[in-house]
Amino acid sequence: MTTKIDVEAIKNTMPDYNAIGSLADFFKIMGDSTRLQIILSLQGRELCVTDIASCVDMSISSVSHQLKSLRLARIIKQRKEGRTVYYSLDDEHVRDILATSLEHVHHV
């Protein structure tokens, strides 16, 4: 016996078009391996651009460019101390998404 699917009920639970667009943009930012390396280097710690560049074996200029994209996407935040800017993950949601994603790729 086949059950009737209530398509309207499903449509009513879906996020609006703008939210879906924002989610797609979020995944585009997270889907870049260079940016993902930077994000992973910031898990649980705050780093300056020089330290991030060393962690990911990239130039400071390249890292700075990626940090700007991540900051505009609200994936990371910055804090200035004197002339040094420190970067960290924006909030626990980013940490949770990373943890869940890593768990998924390691799941056998």
Side-chain angles (χ1 to χ4, degrees):
M1 179 180 200
T2 328
T3 57
K4 184 173 176 169
I5 297 172
D6 188 350
V7 173
E8 283 304 312
I10 293 169
K11 287 171 70 173
N12 289 334
T13 63
M14 291 184 65
D16 66 29
Y17 184 78
N18 290 332
I20 291 170
S22 295
L23 186 59
D25 291 342
F26 174 81
F27 281 117
K28 283 180 200 171
I29 291 286
M30 295 289 281
D32 179 86
S33 60
T34 299
R35 287 190 288 264
L36 198 49
Q37 284 181 55
I38 292 169
I39 294 165
L40 290 167
S41 73
L42 294 172
Q43 273 191 292
R45 69 191 62 82
E46 187 177 63
L47 298 171
C48 68
V49 68
T50 306
D51 292 337
I52 296 168
S54 293
C55 288
V56 298
D57 294 322
M58 292 174 55
S59 70
I60 291 172
S61 175
S62 295
V63 169
S64 293
H65 176 74
Q66 298 299 335
L67 288 170
K68 180 178 180 184
S69 296
L70 292 167
R71 192 174 42 77
L72 291 174
R74 295 185 357 231
I75 294 172
I76 64 167
K77 60 186 174 185
Q78 66 183 33
R79 175 183 68 82
K80 195 166 186 175
E81 189 175 293
R83 293 175 38 154
T84 306
V85 179
Y86 292 94
Y87 298 89
S88 60
L89 298 181
D90 189 62
D91 60 27
E92 290 301 315
H93 295 112
V94 177
R95 284 180 187 81
D96 293 345
I97 290 165
L98 284 171
T100 302
S101 300
L102 283 169
E103 185 178 315
H104 175 72
V105 298
H106 289 117
H107 180 358
V108 180

